[in-house]
Amino acid sequence: VSIQSSQSRQLCQTCKRPLSVCYCSALQQVTNQIKVLIVQHPLEEKHPFNTGRIAHLGLSNSELIVAESLSHAQLDKILAIPSMLLYPSLAWLPEPVKTGQSICDIASMNQLIVIDATWRKSKKILHLHPRLQEIPRLSLQGELKSNYQIRKTSMADGLSTLESIVKAMTLLEPAQNFAPLLKPFEKMIAIQQSHYTS
Ligand SMILES: [Zn+2]
């Protein structure tokens, strides 16, 4: 019989995880110039690792929108800022999505839009929003395998949203160190592993 304390069931208001596995003590704020806008699929919000939220909590200049579809008014507001779409999480799509511009002039971009969803859902979100297909894409080259071994998640096969953002922002703002964003993620994995092995 397992008895859960009320504390372990209570959710942290910041990371939305049970207090017993809250990672907030490992959160570090990183200052970024180019805004990171994360469009998170509602299913991803329920995902125990929710790395899009970690990125949002760590980046000083970021926004998290949980939605599968955005209204025209929302898109108008989002795209009022010169934007590029982060492509890494989509780079392993089985077929290329409709082509936008493949190379973007990074200097003129003030916002990085990241879709936080499984590839299927990412594709659906792009399909639902042709305007997102048209904006320039930032593609990450090279090894896109996660550095982390995580059990029981679909993330193990690809780069997590958080790692993708860290890679992209390191490319876009080389003077800043974005590695501290990974700390809560590492803490979360450590907590998970201790639960599995104990
Ligand atoms: Zn927390």
Side-chain angles (χ1 to χ4, degrees):
V1 182
S2 84
I3 299 161
Q4 266 197 316
S5 71
S6 63
Q7 207 215 14
S8 69
R9 265 177 280 133
Q10 219 178 321
L11 293 185
C12 166
Q13 288 308 299
T14 306
C15 67
K16 312 279 185 199
R17 289 171 59 81
L19 289 176
S20 57
V21 291
C22 161
Y23 57 69
C24 291
S25 63
L27 272 176
Q28 284 179 47
Q29 190 83 166
V30 177
T31 305
N32 58 308
Q33 305 303 318
I34 296 171
K35 181 180 176 179
V36 175
L37 176 90
I38 302 160
V39 180
Q40 184 176 67
H41 191 277
L43 285 177
E44 219 57 35
E45 193 188 25
K46 308 272 177 258
H47 194 290
F49 283 103
N50 193 344
T51 70
R53 173 168 285 274
I54 299 179
H56 169 55
L57 291 173
L59 288 166
S60 66
N61 187 10
S62 69
E63 189 180 345
L64 179 68
I65 298 176
V66 180
E68 186 178 62
S69 100
L70 303 166
S71 68
H72 282 292
Q74 259 178 317
L75 271 178
D76 286 344
K77 190 169 166 261
I78 290 168
L79 297 176
I81 305 173
S83 301
M84 58 197 145
L85 182 71
L86 180 59
Y87 208 55
S89 50
L90 310 174
W92 39 280
L93 276 174
E95 53 189 279
V97 289
K98 221 171 98 186
T99 53
Q101 294 160 263
S102 55
I103 299 166
C104 63
D105 178 10
I106 286 172
S108 66
M109 298 299 163
N110 293 320
Q111 180 168 253
L112 180 68
I113 299 176
V114 182
I115 297 175
D116 182 18
T118 62
W119 70 263
R120 249 177 243 275
K121 298 293 181 193
S122 297
K123 206 176 157 191
K124 186 173 179 198
I125 289 173
L126 277 181
H127 180 73
L128 288 172
H129 305 92
R131 289 168 74 190
L132 288 181
Q133 298 175 27
E134 300 306 322
I135 65 173
R137 287 175 193 160
L138 178 75
S139 299
L140 292 182
Q141 308 294 323
E143 186 64 55
L144 293 177
K145 224 172 133 48
S146 176
N147 284 322
Y148 302 96
Q149 291 291 316
I150 300 150
R151 290 179 229 202
K152 295 196 171 182
T153 80
S154 55
M155 215 152 66
D157 295 331
L159 207 56
S160 66
T161 299
L162 177 65
E163 291 172 276
S164 303
I165 290 172
V166 168
K167 267 183 196 279
M169 291 308 289
T170 302
L171 205 73
L172 295 170
E173 297 179 18
Q176 179 60 284
N177 176 21
F178 290 94
L181 290 176
L182 295 165
K183 292 289 175 204
F185 188 41
E186 286 162 1
K187 181 185 169 96
M188 206 163 61
I189 293 166
I191 292 171
Q192 192 210 32
Q193 280 167 349
S194 71
H195 281 210
Y196 271 103
T197 50
S198 60

